[in-house]
Amino acid sequence: TAFFYTDTYSGDALGSVNIALVTAVAMVPEGLEAIVTLTYSYAVKVMASQNAIVRALPAVETLGSVTVICSDKTGTLTQNIMSLTAFVTSNARYKNNVDATDRVPVNFVRDDTYLASRAQHDMKKTGKDIVADGPNNPAGRRGHNPSNHFTVDSLHATDNPDEAAANAALPPDDGFPVKNGESPSREWIQSALSCGVLCSKCVLGEGGGRAGEIGNPTELSILRASYFAGIDIEELKNDAPIVAEVPFSSDYKFMATVHEPAKVDNCPDGKYVCYVKGAPDRMVKLCKYQAKGGVAGDENLEDINENYWIEQIAILSSHGLRVLGLCRTTIDKDSVKAGDQLGPEFVNGRPEGKWLTMVGLCAIMDPPRPECVQAIKEARGAGVRVAMITGDHKDTATAIGHMLGIVDEKYSEAVTGPELDAMSDEEIRKCVMTHNVFARASPQNKIRIVKALQAEGQVSSMTGDGVNDAPALKAANMGVAMGKEGTDVAREASEMIIADDNFATIVYAVKQGRVVWDNLRKVLLVNTPINNSQGLSVLFGLLVKLPNTPISAIQILYSNFICAVTLGFVCAIEPAEDGIMELPPRRVGKRLIGRFLFLRIVLGTILLTGCVVGSASIIEYGGRYDDWSVEERERMMRGVAFNVLDFGAISVMLSARFAYNSSIHPRVFQGNPAAVFSIAIVAVLQVFLSYVPGLNSFVFSMRGMDGFGWGLTFASMVIVFIVMEIEKAIRRHLKAQGADTDDRETPFFTDGKAPEVDMKMPKGASKLNLQELNH
């Protein structure tokens, strides 16, 4: 164009080639690669600060497409701390705040409606079936060594809902020892739970936590509840020293200890207190009495109501709770000697038969992490399903699923590993789309679940911590290993490591994956129009017969490397935009530059090019500078065009900061300090380059602008900004009308079918049923 069309460069081959090279350089975004790498790196840094460690940069982008998160239960969705959730006495139910941090008795509250009836799915089951599906099953978790030593052998509970309700009914509230809704005293809690505290060899961890704890998790839960109720464990043990004991054995499933009576035991003179804790079905059979309201003392003894206690065991088991029976009685001091190692017949071989007093039932579970409930709600709002895969029993998994919000009307049931084993490939593909809870699952089940989800077109994230989980982590689109409890093999097989083993961190990482994708698009929206308009300004400047290019080669290089990179950096580190987790996951295979982003880039390019060429034409042909020399007028033209380009780029950046939300709002200068700093840097440099003598004329071939030039510059800024915002407003309106303004629909040139997935198990998968030592 320069060679054949313009007056200045007509027949000047060398000058025309120089312009062509400058234009080519201008059109190539040299700094884009660095900014894209920076975008990924910054996202990885941010996620690492929140305990999500990404092992490969491309995995960040995958996170934004995840449609299903398959998560382990223990330690990820739950706290991995067995906790006393409820305590049931002969006339009341007490709820314990498992998330308490203060050591006060008000952590216990009488709530007679709490777990007052069987879970809906167990209403018509027999006691035997309830035990089989619950955590009191002797089989324990699949793939793990059993940690519940006090399991139920048989439970003869009715399968008649009316009869079950009658058996479970509490007597009228007589306010003993406290009214419904009130908290009991510390002395009552100490007396009621003293069996669980004293009849134990466990050592509580520091501050009631897991660090330094010794013993069985089920038993430790009672010590922990007592500790947070304000009871001094060591003082209680010193006040009631042990005299003799019956050690625990899995053969008879109880433990008994004989103690000097404590102050709160209300024990007659000449008597020892005998505590027995064990499997609840066995404890009921050994009890003659029940302690009214769980209060110690002969005056509070009443005949045991076996049907009541059996149904309470069934109710608690149906809600996925481990159940432990606490009993007590008094014996003559001359009947045992200090230091005796008693046999089980001391408890279950008494000539009088039934002789114990039932104090209450402890309901124990590994409770959900409080933050996971909100995280799952956020994930569902973002169109991401959460599936729980656990080795635990069906009722436990279902109960936790209800608490977390995973189980609902649409995904109302759990499916077990053995049931999955019996399914064909087609059946399991249907199953994974209708179930969110997979109980009694094996490592092989995990692999089949991942492959079935992928065959249904889902993008799955799978968590794992053991050696056996490595194949499933490899098979998933996004393998996530645990940092605390995970093995090195699982970490090596994963794309991301969660340092705190917390599900909420996974949801945070998914959110950041979406932020990265958005920021990449924003970077393109800033850099591409700047680069395009540099080259096109030269082209159209020559086409409108300007005497020379509106911007010089050095100005183009400066805008390319300094202005574009500085402003693009703002979008590279943008925080999450409001509403980003209210959008569905990104479609797999979606182009980075879709239809609407392409239109925005074109619009930004046209606006910048038009403003640059238009302002240069006004300077050259407007008549205001006709009395200036040709050289001075050219310098003024280039000075104005240069500032219009770079200040207009600021407008593009301000509009690009928000993909949908309006930038005509104070938030345009908030939320990202780099935005203000970048604007300040670009503006100061523009003024510096425009007015420093020698630098402006000799290096940049321009001169300082007058007021009219600044007027053109700021007018161009406003025009670019307003038009970009009008386009955004039109797009918001179209989106509200249901238009696909995000290119989420499948493109017309694909068939929309799910990809073909090989459902065969990997070689060696049949050897994955190894025992793990964690509980």
Side-chain angles (χ1 to χ4, degrees), residues 434-511:
T434 56
H435 292 78
N436 274 351
V437 176
F438 302 89
R440 306 283 290 159
S442 66
Q444 296 100 314
N445 295 145
K446 277 190 168 185
I447 299 173
R448 292 192 73 198
I449 289 169
V450 166
K451 288 181 174 291
L453 286 168
Q454 291 171 339
E456 290 295 316
Q458 302 295 308
V459 179
S460 65
S461 169
M462 174 66 74
T463 69
D465 53 11
V467 173
N468 294 343
D469 292 327
L473 295 178
K474 275 291 187 184
N477 301 92
M478 188 74 192
V480 181
M482 300 297 107
K484 287 184 178 180
E485 304 289 341
T487 60
D488 289 340
V489 174
R491 296 190 191 105
E492 287 297 321
S494 67
E495 284 78 32
M496 185 170 72
I497 300 171
I498 301 300
D500 58 356
D501 293 8
N502 192 337
F503 175 83
T505 304
I506 302 175
V507 177
Y508 175 82
V510 169
K511 181 178 181 179

Side-chain angles (χ1 to χ4, degrees), residues 227-398:
Y227 174 84
F228 280 106
I231 297 170
D232 190 321
I233 305 296
E234 292 304 315
E235 182 181 333
L236 177 58
K237 290 183 176 181
N238 293 332
D239 286 347
I242 189 170
V243 176
E245 69 173 308
V246 179
F248 171 83
S249 171
S250 57
D251 292 334
Y252 46 82
K253 296 185 181 178
F254 61 75
M255 176 182 181
T257 53
V258 180
H259 295 262
E260 292 283 357
K263 298 176 183 178
V264 296
D265 280 328
N266 197 14
C267 182
D269 294 337
K271 298 280 188 179
Y272 286 135
V273 178
C274 178
Y275 295 111
V276 185
K277 73 176 181 187
D281 58 322
R282 299 196 180 202
M283 294 296 95
V284 171
K285 294 174 183 177
L286 293 172
C287 287
K288 183 178 182 180
Y289 304 105
Q290 61 188 27
K292 182 181 179 182
V295 179
D298 291 343
E299 67 276 13
N300 294 311
L301 296 181
E302 52 189 21
D303 291 338
I304 190 168
N305 180 352
E306 288 194 14
N307 289 336
Y308 168 82
W309 292 105
I310 292 296
E311 183 56 31
Q312 296 304 325
I313 297 169
I315 289 172
L316 298 174
S317 296
S318 75
H319 288 282
L321 299 163
R322 296 182 182 183
V323 186
L324 189 62
L326 302 185
C327 304
R328 58 172 288 152
T329 190
T330 58
I331 58 173
D332 294 331
K333 286 189 174 182
D334 57 7
S335 61
V336 294
K337 296 179 181 179
D340 279 353
Q341 289 295 317
L342 306 173
E345 65 278 359
F346 175 78
V347 175
N348 59 13
R350 309 285 295 194
E352 62 268 39
K354 297 182 177 184
W355 69 298
L356 297 177
T357 299
M358 175 63 73
V359 178
L361 298 175
C362 295
I364 299 161
M365 73 181 308
D366 179 11
R369 292 177 181 262
E371 64 272 22
C372 285
V373 178
Q374 179 59 35
I376 290 172
K377 184 178 180 181
E378 184 178 14
R380 292 179 67 179
V384 180
R385 268 179 61 201
V386 178
M388 181 173 67
I389 304 176
T390 177
D392 259 329
H393 294 276
K394 190 173 183 178
D395 283 351
T396 303
T398 303

Side-chain angles (χ1 to χ4, degrees), residues 717-749:
M717 278 189 74
V718 172
I719 291 171
V720 171
F721 183 72
I722 294 299
V723 174
M724 294 286 284
E725 287 303 299
I726 291 174
E727 181 274 339
K728 201 188 297 184
I730 294 172
R731 209 151 32 89
R732 284 198 302 270
H733 174 73
L734 292 175
K735 184 179 181 181
Q737 299 298 315
D740 177 27
T741 59
D742 294 310
D743 296 322
R744 298 189 181 279
E745 297 175 1
T746 305
F748 66 90
F749 47 81

Side-chain angles (χ1 to χ4, degrees), residues 517-694:
W517 178 266
D518 274 6
N519 286 354
L520 287 174
R521 288 164 59 88
K522 291 173 182 178
V523 166
L524 288 172
L525 179 56
V526 172
N527 281 48
T528 310
I530 294 175
N531 290 113
N532 290 345
S533 60
Q534 290 166 10
L536 292 176
S537 295
V538 172
L539 173 62
F540 284 98
L542 296 175
L543 288 177
V544 297
K545 295 285 188 173
L546 290 175
N548 208 334
T549 58
I551 44 180
S552 65
I554 192 65
Q555 287 175 329
I556 287 174
L557 291 174
Y558 170 85
S559 297
N560 230 346
F561 285 102
I562 305 301
C563 178
V565 172
T566 303
L567 297 178
F569 173 76
V570 175
C571 293
I573 62 172
E574 272 294 309
E577 194 170 343
D578 291 343
I580 195 170
M581 289 299 278
E582 296 174 3
L583 301 172
R586 187 178 72 251
R587 173 175 50 79
V588 177
K590 177 182 176 182
R591 289 183 174 87
L592 192 59
I593 299 180
R595 294 172 299 169
F596 281 86
L597 180 59
F598 178 76
L599 290 175
R600 291 208 81 197
I601 290 174
V602 170
L603 178 62
T605 301
I606 292 173
L607 288 170
L608 283 180
T609 303
C611 287
V612 170
V613 175
S615 61
S617 298
I618 290 173
I619 297 297
E620 182 64 27
Y621 301 124
R624 186 180 182 90
Y625 303 98
D626 286 349
D627 55 341
W628 288 24
S629 67
V630 174
E631 182 181 355
E632 284 299 306
R633 191 164 61 245
E634 180 180 309
R635 290 179 183 274
M636 173 61 76
M637 175 189 71
R638 283 183 166 174
V640 172
F642 179 52
N643 280 284
V644 165
L645 174 65
D646 288 354
F647 277 98
I650 292 176
S651 294
V652 174
M653 180 273 291
L654 291 175
S655 180
R657 282 196 61 199
F658 304 100
Y660 275 104
N661 296 323
S662 175
S663 294
I664 307 176
H665 191 278
R667 61 170 164 256
V668 76
F669 297 110
Q670 300 169 355
N672 186 357
V676 176
F677 292 139
S678 294
I679 293 172
I681 290 171
V682 171
V684 169
L685 286 176
Q686 288 296 127
V687 173
F688 179 79
L689 296 177
S690 296
Y691 290 101
V692 172

Side-chain angles (χ1 to χ4, degrees), residues 88-313:
V88 180
T89 66
S90 66
N91 70 342
R93 319 177 77 80
Y94 294 88
K95 182 178 181 180
N96 179 37
N97 181 8
V98 296
D99 300 317
T101 55
D102 296 329
R103 298 183 59 196
V104 288
V106 293
N107 292 332
F108 278 85
V109 177
R110 179 173 176 178
D111 184 355
D112 292 344
T113 63
Y114 184 57
L115 303 175
S117 60
R118 294 186 192 182
Q120 192 66 35
H121 56 272
D122 281 350
M123 278 295 185
K124 296 184 178 181
K125 284 186 179 180
T126 64
K128 178 181 178 181
D129 291 335
I130 292 175
V131 170
D133 288 338
N136 299 296
N137 186 332
R141 292 178 62 201
R142 188 173 184 181
H144 295 74
N145 291 327
S147 63
N148 183 12
H149 298 163
F150 305 97
T151 54
V152 175
D153 292 324
S154 61
L155 191 67
H156 301 291
T158 179
D159 58 356
N160 185 311
D162 294 333
E163 185 179 347
N167 291 337
L170 295 172
D173 182 8
D174 58 1
F176 183 79
V178 293
K179 294 180 180 179
N180 195 33
E182 296 181 348
S183 295
S185 65
R186 185 171 65 85
E187 290 72 23
W188 180 89
I189 298 173
Q190 178 173 313
S191 175
L193 298 182
S194 57
C195 173
V197 175
L198 296 174
C199 187
S200 175
K201 295 293 185 180
C202 297
V203 176
L204 192 62
E206 182 180 352
R210 290 186 61 190
E213 67 179 20
I214 301 174
N216 179 268
T218 305
E219 299 178 71
L220 281 164
S221 66
I222 304 175
L223 271 70
R224 186 173 293 108
S226 302
Y227 174 84
F228 280 106
I231 297 170
D232 190 321
I233 305 296
E234 292 304 315
E235 182 181 333
L236 177 58
K237 290 183 176 181
N238 293 332
D239 286 347
I242 189 170
V243 176
E245 69 173 308
V246 179
F248 171 83
S249 171
S250 57
D251 292 334
Y252 46 82
K253 296 185 181 178
F254 61 75
M255 176 182 181
T257 53
V258 180
H259 295 262
E260 292 283 357
K263 298 176 183 178
V264 296
D265 280 328
N266 197 14
C267 182
D269 294 337
K271 298 280 188 179
Y272 286 135
V273 178
C274 178
Y275 295 111
V276 185
K277 73 176 181 187
D281 58 322
R282 299 196 180 202
M283 294 296 95
V284 171
K285 294 174 183 177
L286 293 172
C287 287
K288 183 178 182 180
Y289 304 105
Q290 61 188 27
K292 182 181 179 182
V295 179
D298 291 343
E299 67 276 13
N300 294 311
L301 296 181
E302 52 189 21
D303 291 338
I304 190 168
N305 180 352
E306 288 194 14
N307 289 336
Y308 168 82
W309 292 105
I310 292 296
E311 183 56 31
Q312 296 304 325
I313 297 169

